[in-house]
Amino acid sequence: MRFRLDISYKGTNFYGWQKQSDKPTVQGTLEEVLSILLRQPVATTGCGRTDTGVHARFFPLHFECEAPIPNHFLYRINSLLPQEIAVLNFEPVSEHFHARFNAISRTYRYYLHFVKDPF
C-alpha cells in the first residue's frame, strides 16, 4: 500500500533532502525512523530535492508499506524524529500517486539578511 507524508524541516544540520551514504540528510533520517517504526526497510520518494542547509515548510513524499500502520502513527513518528523534522500529515493514497510527478506547483523563497537578526 502507498502512503503520503507531508513534512516540514529545518535543514541547517542536514546535507539536503536526498540520501547520501556518508552525510546526514532528511531522507536518510526519515527512512531510518520509518524502518524502525514499521519494522521493515522503507524507501521514500520526495516531491523534489533541497540543498545543504535549506529548510522546507511543506514537503510531500510517498512510500510503500505492507506492514500494518501502528496506532497513533503521527505521534509515534514525531517522537522518534529529531526536533528539526516534523510530520504534518499522513494518509493512504492511490498506487498511482507520485509525490514528485503529481506536484502542481513549487514555490521557493529566499530570505537574505544584511543585518544581525535573531529571527
Side-chain angles (χ1 to χ4, degrees):
M1 186 165 203
R2 185 168 286 191
F3 295 92
R4 172 182 168 158
L5 292 181
D6 297 324
I7 67 169
S8 68
Y9 58 86
K10 182 178 177 183
T12 304
N13 297 324
F14 296 104
Y15 287 83
W17 158 259
Q18 194 166 8
K19 189 166 51 173
Q20 299 179 39
S21 61
D22 60 338
K23 295 183 174 128
T25 64
V26 177
Q27 184 181 30
T29 303
L30 188 60
E31 287 181 0
E32 183 179 325
V33 169
L34 280 167
S35 296
I36 290 168
L37 187 58
L38 300 173
R39 299 180 181 176
Q40 69 177 47
V42 175
T44 60
T45 300
C47 63
R49 297 186 301 187
T50 56
D51 292 330
T52 298
V54 173
H55 315 313
R57 278 190 196 265
F58 186 78
F59 191 95
L61 61 104
H62 73 266
F63 68 93
E64 304 282 336
C65 178
E66 296 307 320
I69 301 300
N71 292 333
H72 311 292
F73 178 80
L74 277 179
Y75 172 79
R76 291 171 117 185
I77 192 167
N78 279 317
S79 68
L80 292 172
L81 286 167
Q83 185 67 30
E84 295 88 0
I85 303 172
V87 176
L88 309 171
N89 185 44
F90 163 77
E91 64 182 323
V93 291
S94 156
E95 65 182 45
H96 302 293
F97 173 80
H98 194 283
R100 182 173 160 212
F101 299 127
N102 288 122
I104 295 170
S105 69
R106 290 175 176 82
T107 302
Y108 301 91
R109 291 194 176 114
Y110 299 88
Y111 298 94
L112 304 174
H113 301 275
F114 297 103
V115 296
K116 185 175 180 180
D117 182 352
F119 301 101

